[in-house]
Amino acid sequence: MSVSHILSKIISEDVNLNLVEPDIYSVYSIGDSPGAYDSIGASAIYDMVACNRFYNWLMWGYSIKDYAILCEDSLASSHEGWVMDLACGSLAFTAEIYANCSNRPVVFLDQSLKLLRKGKFRLEKLKGNLPENMFFLHADALQMPFKANIFHAVISLNLLHCIDDMKTALKEIKRVLIDGGNFALTTLVQSSRWSNRYFNMLAGSGALIYRSPDELLSAFNDMEMQVTHEVKGNLAFIRDG
Protein backbone atom coordinates (compact mmCIF):
# COMPACT_ATOMS: atom_id res chain seq x y z
CA MET A 1 0.00 0.00 0.00
CA SER A 2 1.38 3.42 -0.94
CA VAL A 3 1.70 6.48 1.26
CA SER A 4 -1.50 8.48 1.60
CA HIS A 5 -1.71 11.21 -1.04
CA ILE A 6 -2.54 13.72 1.70
CA LEU A 7 0.48 12.82 3.81
CA SER A 8 2.86 12.62 0.86
CA LYS A 9 2.33 16.34 0.19
CA ILE A 10 4.26 17.32 3.34
CA ILE A 11 7.04 14.69 3.31
CA SER A 12 10.50 15.72 2.08
CA GLU A 13 11.27 14.44 -1.40
CA ASP A 14 14.34 12.48 -0.24
CA VAL A 15 12.39 10.52 2.39
CA ASN A 16 10.87 7.11 1.76
CA LEU A 17 8.14 6.00 4.12
CA ASN A 18 7.24 2.40 4.85
CA LEU A 19 3.68 1.43 5.69
CA VAL A 20 3.83 -0.51 8.97
CA GLU A 21 0.07 -1.06 9.13
CA PRO A 22 -2.96 0.98 8.07
CA ASP A 23 -2.42 4.64 9.05
CA ILE A 24 1.02 4.06 10.62
CA TYR A 25 4.06 4.98 8.51
CA SER A 26 7.75 4.73 9.35
CA VAL A 27 10.99 6.28 8.16
CA TYR A 28 12.74 3.14 9.43
CA SER A 29 13.09 -0.25 7.81
CA ILE A 30 10.35 -2.73 8.64
CA GLY A 31 11.17 -4.33 12.00
CA ASP A 32 13.49 -1.52 13.06
CA SER A 33 12.26 0.50 16.05
CA PRO A 34 14.83 2.51 18.05
CA GLY A 35 12.29 3.95 20.49
CA ALA A 36 13.15 3.55 24.19
CA TYR A 37 9.58 2.49 24.96
CA ASP A 38 9.62 -0.38 22.48
CA SER A 39 11.52 -2.69 24.82
CA ILE A 40 9.55 -5.41 26.56
CA GLY A 41 7.23 -3.95 29.20
CA ALA A 42 8.39 -0.35 28.76
CA SER A 43 5.23 0.93 27.05
CA ALA A 44 3.05 -0.67 29.72
CA ILE A 45 5.07 1.03 32.47
CA TYR A 46 4.78 4.32 30.55
CA ASP A 47 0.97 4.15 30.61
CA MET A 48 0.68 2.88 34.19
CA VAL A 49 3.20 5.25 35.78
CA ALA A 50 4.17 8.22 33.62
CA CYS A 51 0.57 8.77 32.50
CA ASN A 52 -1.01 8.19 35.91
CA ARG A 53 -2.76 11.29 37.25
CA PHE A 54 -1.95 10.52 40.90
CA TYR A 55 1.72 9.97 40.14
CA ASN A 56 1.98 13.25 38.26
CA TRP A 57 0.10 15.19 40.92
CA LEU A 58 2.04 13.79 43.87
CA MET A 59 5.47 13.56 42.28
CA TRP A 60 5.55 16.51 39.90
CA GLY A 61 2.86 18.81 41.30
CA TYR A 62 0.50 19.36 38.35
CA SER A 63 -2.79 18.05 37.02
CA ILE A 64 -2.86 16.03 33.80
CA LYS A 65 -5.96 18.06 32.87
CA ASP A 66 -3.50 20.87 32.10
CA TYR A 67 -2.31 18.89 29.07
CA ALA A 68 -5.78 18.84 27.54
CA ILE A 69 -6.19 22.57 28.19
CA LEU A 70 -2.85 23.33 26.51
CA CYS A 71 -3.75 21.16 23.51
CA GLU A 72 -7.21 22.71 23.17
CA ASP A 73 -5.80 26.23 23.36
CA SER A 74 -3.20 25.48 20.70
CA LEU A 75 -5.76 24.00 18.32
CA ALA A 76 -8.09 26.95 18.90
CA SER A 77 -5.36 29.49 18.14
CA SER A 78 -5.44 28.52 14.46
CA HIS A 79 -8.49 27.11 12.73
CA GLU A 80 -6.95 25.55 9.64
CA GLY A 81 -3.78 23.89 8.37
CA TRP A 82 -1.65 20.97 9.48
CA VAL A 83 -1.16 20.09 13.16
CA MET A 84 1.66 17.95 14.56
CA ASP A 85 1.77 16.25 17.94
CA LEU A 86 5.52 15.76 18.34
CA ALA A 87 6.56 12.82 20.54
CA CYS A 88 2.87 12.08 20.92
CA GLY A 89 3.32 8.95 23.03
CA SER A 90 0.12 6.94 23.46
CA LEU A 91 -2.20 10.02 23.47
CA ALA A 92 -3.06 9.15 27.07
CA PHE A 93 -3.72 12.81 27.89
CA THR A 94 -5.12 14.16 24.61
CA ALA A 95 -6.96 11.47 22.64
CA GLU A 96 -10.38 12.96 23.43
CA ILE A 97 -9.26 16.40 22.28
CA TYR A 98 -8.02 15.06 18.94
CA ALA A 99 -11.13 12.94 18.52
CA ASN A 100 -13.04 16.22 18.22
CA CYS A 101 -10.53 17.68 15.75
CA SER A 102 -12.23 16.39 12.63
CA ASN A 103 -11.61 19.25 10.22
CA ARG A 104 -7.79 19.50 10.18
CA PRO A 105 -5.00 17.14 9.10
CA VAL A 106 -2.98 15.89 12.07
CA VAL A 107 0.32 14.00 12.24
CA PHE A 108 1.19 12.09 15.41
CA LEU A 109 4.96 11.54 15.48
CA ASP A 110 6.88 9.35 17.90
CA GLN A 111 10.00 7.18 17.88
CA SER A 112 8.17 4.38 19.67
CA LEU A 113 6.08 2.13 17.45
CA LYS A 114 4.34 0.55 20.44
CA LEU A 115 3.19 3.93 21.74
CA LEU A 116 1.96 4.93 18.27
CA ARG A 117 -0.13 1.77 18.14
CA LYS A 118 -1.60 2.55 21.55
CA GLY A 119 -2.44 6.08 20.44
CA LYS A 120 -4.09 4.82 17.28
CA PHE A 121 -6.12 2.33 19.33
CA ARG A 122 -7.31 5.10 21.67
CA LEU A 123 -8.51 7.26 18.78
CA GLU A 124 -10.20 4.34 17.03
CA LYS A 125 -11.96 3.44 20.27
CA LEU A 126 -13.29 6.98 20.59
CA LYS A 127 -14.14 7.51 16.92
CA GLY A 128 -15.06 4.02 15.76
CA ASN A 129 -12.42 4.30 13.04
CA LEU A 130 -9.46 6.57 12.42
CA PRO A 131 -10.42 9.76 10.55
CA GLU A 132 -8.87 10.11 7.09
CA ASN A 133 -7.14 13.34 8.17
CA MET A 134 -5.04 11.68 10.89
CA PHE A 135 -1.70 9.90 10.43
CA PHE A 136 0.77 8.17 12.74
CA LEU A 137 4.44 8.57 11.85
CA HIS A 138 7.33 6.56 13.30
CA ALA A 139 10.25 9.00 13.13
CA ASP A 140 12.86 11.00 15.06
CA ALA A 141 12.01 14.39 16.55
CA LEU A 142 15.58 15.55 15.88
CA GLN A 143 15.38 14.75 12.17
CA MET A 144 11.80 15.18 11.08
CA PRO A 145 10.96 13.98 7.55
CA PHE A 146 8.88 17.03 6.61
CA LYS A 147 9.27 19.86 4.19
CA ALA A 148 9.85 23.29 5.72
CA ASN A 149 7.01 25.67 6.61
CA ILE A 150 4.24 23.07 6.75
CA PHE A 151 2.58 23.08 10.15
CA HIS A 152 0.24 25.70 11.53
CA ALA A 153 0.53 24.24 15.04
CA VAL A 154 3.05 22.00 16.81
CA ILE A 155 2.16 20.47 20.17
CA SER A 156 4.73 18.53 22.16
CA LEU A 157 4.17 17.16 25.65
CA ASN A 158 7.24 16.18 27.67
CA LEU A 159 9.76 15.72 24.87
CA LEU A 160 12.44 18.23 25.87
CA HIS A 161 13.35 16.66 29.21
CA CYS A 162 13.97 13.37 27.39
CA ILE A 163 16.61 14.66 24.99
CA ASP A 164 20.03 16.17 25.56
CA ASP A 165 20.11 18.04 22.23
CA MET A 166 17.25 20.42 22.94
CA LYS A 167 18.41 23.08 20.49
CA THR A 168 18.22 20.70 17.54
CA ALA A 169 14.65 19.82 18.53
CA LEU A 170 13.73 23.51 18.70
CA LYS A 171 15.47 24.16 15.39
CA GLU A 172 13.39 21.42 13.78
CA ILE A 173 10.17 22.75 15.27
CA LYS A 174 10.99 26.22 13.96
CA ARG A 175 11.85 24.81 10.53
CA VAL A 176 8.57 22.96 10.00
CA LEU A 177 6.30 25.71 11.35
CA ILE A 178 4.82 28.23 8.98
CA ASP A 179 5.55 31.90 9.64
CA GLY A 180 3.19 32.87 12.42
CA GLY A 181 2.48 29.25 13.34
CA ASN A 182 1.97 28.42 17.00
CA PHE A 183 3.65 25.92 19.28
CA ALA A 184 2.80 24.61 22.74
CA LEU A 185 5.27 22.51 24.71
CA THR A 186 5.72 21.06 28.18
CA THR A 187 8.84 19.81 29.94
CA LEU A 188 9.96 18.99 33.46
CA VAL A 189 12.26 21.53 35.09
CA GLN A 190 13.92 22.12 38.44
CA SER A 191 11.82 23.72 41.15
CA SER A 192 11.88 24.28 44.88
CA ARG A 193 9.78 21.16 45.52
CA TRP A 194 10.99 18.08 47.39
CA SER A 195 10.66 16.17 44.09
CA ASN A 196 13.90 17.77 42.89
CA ARG A 197 15.76 14.95 44.61
CA TYR A 198 13.79 12.38 42.64
CA PHE A 199 14.26 14.39 39.46
CA ASN A 200 18.01 14.55 40.05
CA MET A 201 18.12 10.79 40.64
CA LEU A 202 16.33 10.14 37.33
CA ALA A 203 18.71 12.51 35.57
CA GLY A 204 21.67 10.70 37.09
CA SER A 205 20.39 7.41 35.67
CA GLY A 206 20.09 8.97 32.21
CA ALA A 207 16.28 8.72 32.16
CA LEU A 208 15.71 12.50 32.07
CA ILE A 209 17.62 15.75 31.51
CA TYR A 210 17.81 18.02 34.56
CA ARG A 211 17.35 21.67 33.54
CA SER A 212 16.40 24.88 35.29
CA PRO A 213 13.68 27.17 33.92
CA ASP A 214 16.40 29.70 33.05
CA GLU A 215 18.32 27.10 31.01
CA LEU A 216 15.13 26.19 29.20
CA LEU A 217 14.26 29.78 28.33
CA SER A 218 17.85 30.48 27.28
CA ALA A 219 17.60 27.76 24.63
CA PHE A 220 14.48 29.38 23.17
CA ASN A 221 16.18 32.79 23.19
CA ASP A 222 19.19 31.36 21.38
CA MET A 223 16.85 30.06 18.66
CA GLU A 224 15.09 33.46 18.51
CA MET A 225 11.80 31.85 19.50
CA GLN A 226 9.75 34.24 21.63
CA VAL A 227 7.77 32.43 24.30
CA THR A 228 5.58 32.84 27.32
CA HIS A 229 5.89 30.30 30.10
CA GLU A 230 4.32 29.11 33.33
CA VAL A 231 5.68 26.57 35.80
CA LYS A 232 3.33 24.36 37.79
CA GLY A 233 5.18 22.15 40.23
CA ASN A 234 8.04 20.76 38.16
CA LEU A 235 6.32 21.19 34.81
CA ALA A 236 6.95 24.15 32.51
CA PHE A 237 4.25 25.10 30.01
CA ILE A 238 5.76 26.92 27.04
CA ARG A 239 3.77 28.77 24.37
CA ASP A 240 4.87 30.93 21.47
CA GLY A 241 5.01 34.54 22.54
Side-chain angles (χ1 to χ4, degrees):
M1 183 180 288
S2 62
V3 177
S4 161
H5 176 65
I6 299 173
L7 181 61
S8 65
K9 292 180 178 179
I10 67 170
I11 300 297
S12 297
E13 293 178 358
D14 60 343
V15 172
N16 293 316
L17 296 185
N18 295 306
L19 183 68
V20 178
E21 60 186 63
D23 305 305
I24 298 183
Y25 300 90
S26 180
V27 299
Y28 303 106
S29 300
I30 299 298
D32 186 11
S33 188
Y37 289 107
D38 284 338
S39 58
I40 296 175
S43 63
I45 293 173
Y46 170 85
D47 267 2
M48 287 188 295
V49 178
C51 298
N52 183 281
R53 65 189 179 97
F54 296 110
Y55 168 81
N56 284 294
W57 174 253
L58 292 172
M59 188 58 64
W60 301 121
Y62 67 89
S63 170
I64 62 172
K65 293 180 180 179
D66 293 328
Y67 289 129
I69 294 170
L70 185 77
C71 185
E72 280 187 316
D73 288 348
S74 181
L75 292 173
S77 65
S78 60
H79 299 287
E80 60 182 6
W82 281 90
V83 176
M84 175 169 53
D85 191 318
L86 180 60
C88 65
S90 64
L91 301 186
F93 307 120
T94 55
E96 292 186 7
I97 304 302
Y98 287 116
N100 295 320
C101 183
S102 59
N103 62 333
R104 301 178 65 178
V106 183
V107 173
F108 302 101
L109 186 150
D110 203 281
Q111 203 171 26
S112 168
L113 193 53
K114 286 186 177 181
L115 294 183
L116 288 173
R117 285 174 169 145
K118 286 189 173 189
K120 178 187 171 185
F121 175 78
R122 281 193 164 101
L123 276 179
E124 288 178 332
K125 188 175 181 180
L126 289 168
K127 297 289 291 184
N129 57 4
L130 193 69
E132 293 183 355
N133 60 315
M134 295 187 179
F135 309 93
F136 288 83
L137 185 57
H138 184 214
D140 186 349
L142 300 182
Q143 194 174 0
M144 291 189 271
F146 305 114
K147 298 175 182 176
N149 306 314
I150 290 295
F151 292 95
H152 288 236
V154 172
I155 299 164
S156 185
L157 307 180
N158 298 349
L159 167 66
L160 298 182
H161 62 244
C162 295
I163 55 175
D164 185 57
D165 191 0
M166 180 170 57
K167 288 186 178 180
T168 294
L170 297 182
K171 182 178 179 180
E172 278 290 271
I173 290 171
K174 187 175 180 180
R175 180 183 70 82
V176 301
L177 272 171
I178 66 165
D179 290 340
N182 77 83
F183 57 87
L185 318 172
T186 65
T187 182
L188 291 172
V189 293
Q190 299 170 20
S191 76
S192 58
R193 300 180 73 247
W194 61 270
S195 53
N196 260 8
R197 292 184 179 180
Y198 177 62
F199 193 179
N200 196 29
M201 180 191 73
L202 291 176
S205 71
L208 301 175
I209 306 299
Y210 193 62
R211 295 187 179 99
S212 69
D214 286 344
E215 288 174 319
L216 178 68
L217 295 176
S218 177
F220 281 93
N221 288 334
D222 289 346
M223 293 303 302
E224 297 182 344
M225 298 170 73
Q226 294 184 345
V227 300
T228 61
H229 82 287
E230 178 182 13
V231 177
K232 297 183 179 181
N234 282 93
L235 195 69
F237 295 79
I238 307 290
R239 296 174 174 86
D240 58 285

